[in-house]
């Protein structure tokens, strides 16, 4: 896959005709995968390359009062590139959604971008809108001299699969639902840093993580997770919260890695969030905490994709 970071249409030098896929694609979820599957089918049938024009950051930054969550993503930049490559994209064009870009009319966008990208066929989702005049895909069909394919709504459990729905599931701690909607396991990365080292004293040492990549984190709680260390996966129990049993004040991300005993300080680990075990609870003492951690461990070891502990969450 060839990746081009462009400032405006003048930087586009597309030589081959393309199937052009348009959208933001924060998290390559099942709906997006359906769209790209159709693009690959058409590309193979017609001998065309697949191109994507999208944005490294949310277009909402150009319209909405700033809040830090506007900079958060479902995938890290590195993983996002991998999802495009896996989806069969040949040419990926990334452009910042600036105020200048936002002022383009639909007709200007078609002239300056779509035509320069040599789109023989445009593929968009059913709810795609574009340009300052907020035209939809049906307008593209009316005015563009190439073909336009509108991919219908993709639903799961009778609800539309969307990035918004996935973000909400993650922020509610429902990582199992997020994984179902994504079609793969939601993950984050973190750098192992020094913490209180309290876990070692109770038989459950943890790697304290400094989150990387501006990726959403699940809600406070204890989770079943797989942890990738130097390319190898281990089962673990990850916790997010303020360690309220010990009157903690700062938000902590920690992971206890099962069947692993080595120092990891300074290493970057990848956490694959599988399911939520329980909410954060303030225990009466260390003995009660250790008993619960043993229960958590038993469930984490026996967990599989067909088994959930939702009904046991406290």
């Amino acid at each position: 896959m060839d990746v081009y970071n462009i400032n405006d249409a003048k930087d586009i030098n597309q030589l081959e005709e393309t199937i052009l896929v348009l959208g933001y694609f924060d998290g390559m979820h099942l709906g997006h995968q359906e769209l790209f599957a159709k693009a690959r089918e058409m590309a193979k049938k017609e001998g065309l390359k697949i191109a994507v024009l999208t944005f490294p950051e949310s277009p909402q930054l150009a319209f909405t009062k700033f809040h830090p969550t506007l900079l958060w993503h479902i995938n890290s930049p590195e993983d996002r590139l991998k999802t495009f490559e896996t989806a069969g994209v040949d040419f990926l064009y990334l452009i910042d959604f600036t105020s200048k870009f936002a002022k383009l009319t639909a007709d200007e966008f078609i002239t300056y971008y779509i035509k320069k990208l040599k789109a023989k066929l445009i593929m968009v989702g059913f709810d795609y809108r574009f340009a300052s005049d907020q035209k939809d895909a049906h307008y593209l069909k009316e005015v563009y001299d190439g073909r336009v394919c509108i991919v219908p709504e993709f639903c799961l459990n009778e609800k539309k699969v969307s990035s918004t729905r996935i973000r909400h599931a993650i922020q509610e701690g429902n990582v199992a639902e997020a994984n179902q909607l994504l079609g793969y396991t939601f993950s984050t990365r973190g750098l192992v840093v020094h913490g209180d080292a309290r876990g070692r004293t109770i038989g459950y040492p943890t790697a304290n993580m400094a989150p990387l990549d501006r990726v959403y984190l699940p809600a406070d709680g204890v989770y079943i997770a797989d942890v990738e260390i130097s390319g190898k996966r281990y089962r673990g129990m990850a916790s997010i919260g303020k360690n309220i049993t010990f009157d903690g004040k700062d938000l902590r991300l920690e992971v206890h890695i099962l069947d692993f005993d080595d120092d990891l300080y300074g290493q970057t680990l990848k956490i694959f969030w599988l399911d939520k075990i329980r909410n954060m609870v303030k225990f009466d003492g260390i003995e009660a905490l250790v008993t619960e951690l043993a229960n958590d461990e038993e469930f984490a070891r026996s967990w599989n994709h067909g088994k959930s502990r939702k009904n046991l969450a406290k």
Side-chain angles (χ1 to χ4, degrees), residues 300-311:
R301 287 186 182 277
S302 63
W303 181 90
N304 60 60
H305 289 280
K307 183 178 179 182
S308 176
R309 199 184 180 186
K310 276 185 185 178
N311 59 329

Side-chain angles (χ1 to χ4, degrees), residues 264-296:
L264 294 167
Y265 298 116
Q267 289 195 44
T268 296
L269 309 184
K270 194 167 189 176
I271 300 176
F272 294 86
W273 302 88
L274 302 176
D275 205 349
K276 187 173 183 179
I277 301 176
R278 58 179 173 85
N279 293 329
M280 294 296 284
V281 177
K282 184 169 185 176
F283 294 95
D284 293 334
I286 292 177
E287 185 177 340
L289 171 60
V290 172
T291 298
E292 182 56 46
L293 288 173
N295 291 335
D296 296 342

Side-chain angles (χ1 to χ4, degrees), residues 56-70:
E57 303 292 344
S58 170
Q60 288 300 314
L61 286 163
F63 304 111
T64 306
K65 182 179 178 180
F66 177 74
H67 187 276
T69 57
L70 290 173

Side-chain angles (χ1 to χ4, degrees), residues 22-75:
L22 298 171
Y24 176 42
F25 309 114
D26 182 25
M28 185 67 74
H29 57 61
L30 291 175
H32 295 150
Q33 290 169 39
E34 182 76 5
L35 188 155
F36 279 97
K38 292 184 183 299
R40 289 195 303 274
E41 181 184 331
M42 295 301 296
K44 183 177 180 180
K45 181 180 178 181
E46 303 196 16
L48 295 170
K49 300 288 188 179
I50 298 174
V52 171
L53 176 66
T54 191
F55 317 104
E57 303 292 344
S58 170
Q60 288 300 314
L61 286 163
F63 304 111
T64 306
K65 182 179 178 180
F66 177 74
H67 187 276
T69 57
L70 290 173
L71 292 173
W72 296 357
H73 303 273
I74 295 171
N75 298 130

Side-chain angles (χ1 to χ4, degrees), residues 74-83 184-192 207 209-213 215 217 224-238 253 255 257 264 267-274:
I74 295 171
N75 298 130
S76 69
E78 180 182 355
D79 284 347
R80 191 180 186 218
L81 289 180
K82 288 179 182 176
T83 65
Y184 55 89
T185 307
F186 169 66
S187 64
T188 59
R189 296 192 313 153
L191 184 69
V192 181
M209 312 287 290
L212 302 172
D213 302 322
V215 171
L217 287 174
I224 303 162
D226 279 347
V227 184
E228 186 176 276
I229 305 171
S230 302
K232 184 177 179 180
R233 284 202 195 188
Y234 299 82
R235 180 56 49 86
M237 298 143 54
L253 169 58
V255 59
I257 306 166
L264 294 167
Q267 289 195 44
T268 296
L269 309 184
K270 194 167 189 176
I271 300 176
F272 294 86
W273 302 88
L274 302 176

Side-chain angles (χ1 to χ4, degrees), residues 67-191:
H67 187 276
T69 57
L70 290 173
L71 292 173
W72 296 357
H73 303 273
I74 295 171
N75 298 130
S76 69
E78 180 182 355
D79 284 347
R80 191 180 186 218
L81 289 180
K82 288 179 182 176
T83 65
F84 282 121
E85 191 162 23
T86 300
V89 176
D90 298 292
F91 308 111
L92 178 63
Y93 290 87
L94 296 168
I95 185 169
D96 291 332
F97 198 99
T98 62
S99 297
K100 180 181 179 182
F101 186 89
K103 290 176 182 176
L104 289 171
T105 65
D107 292 340
E108 289 171 334
F109 179 71
I110 291 168
T111 299
Y112 300 143
Y113 287 90
I114 292 179
K115 289 184 177 180
K116 286 206 70 176
L117 288 166
K118 297 192 180 298
K120 187 174 182 181
L121 170 64
I122 301 170
M123 299 201 71
V124 292
F126 75 101
D127 55 355
Y128 177 73
R129 288 188 172 273
F130 68 105
S132 59
D133 37 2
Q134 283 294 282
K135 298 295 186 180
D136 61 15
H138 296 286
Y139 180 79
L140 271 176
K141 276 193 166 184
E142 292 173 9
V143 302
Y144 189 58
D145 54 11
R147 287 171 294 151
V148 178
C149 177
I150 303 174
V151 178
E153 180 179 63
F154 187 91
C155 293
L156 190 65
N157 299 327
E158 300 182 347
K159 292 182 181 178
K160 181 181 80 168
V161 175
S162 68
S163 297
T164 299
R165 185 179 169 191
I166 293 166
R167 292 184 204 109
H168 181 75
I170 293 168
Q171 292 175 296
E172 290 291 312
N174 195 348
V175 294
E177 181 186 359
N179 294 339
Q180 190 179 25
L181 299 171
L182 285 166
Y184 55 89
T185 307
F186 169 66
S187 64
T188 59
R189 296 192 313 153
L191 184 69

Side-chain angles (χ1 to χ4, degrees), residues 197-206 237 246 255-261 286 289-291 293-294 297 301:
R198 189 180 287 118
R200 293 187 179 277
T201 67
I202 61 174
Y204 284 91
T206 61
M237 298 143 54
F246 297 98
V255 59
H256 172 67
I257 306 166
L258 303 179
D259 306 317
F260 184 88
D261 184 21
I286 292 177
L289 171 60
V290 172
T291 298
L293 288 173
E297 178 182 347
R301 287 186 182 277

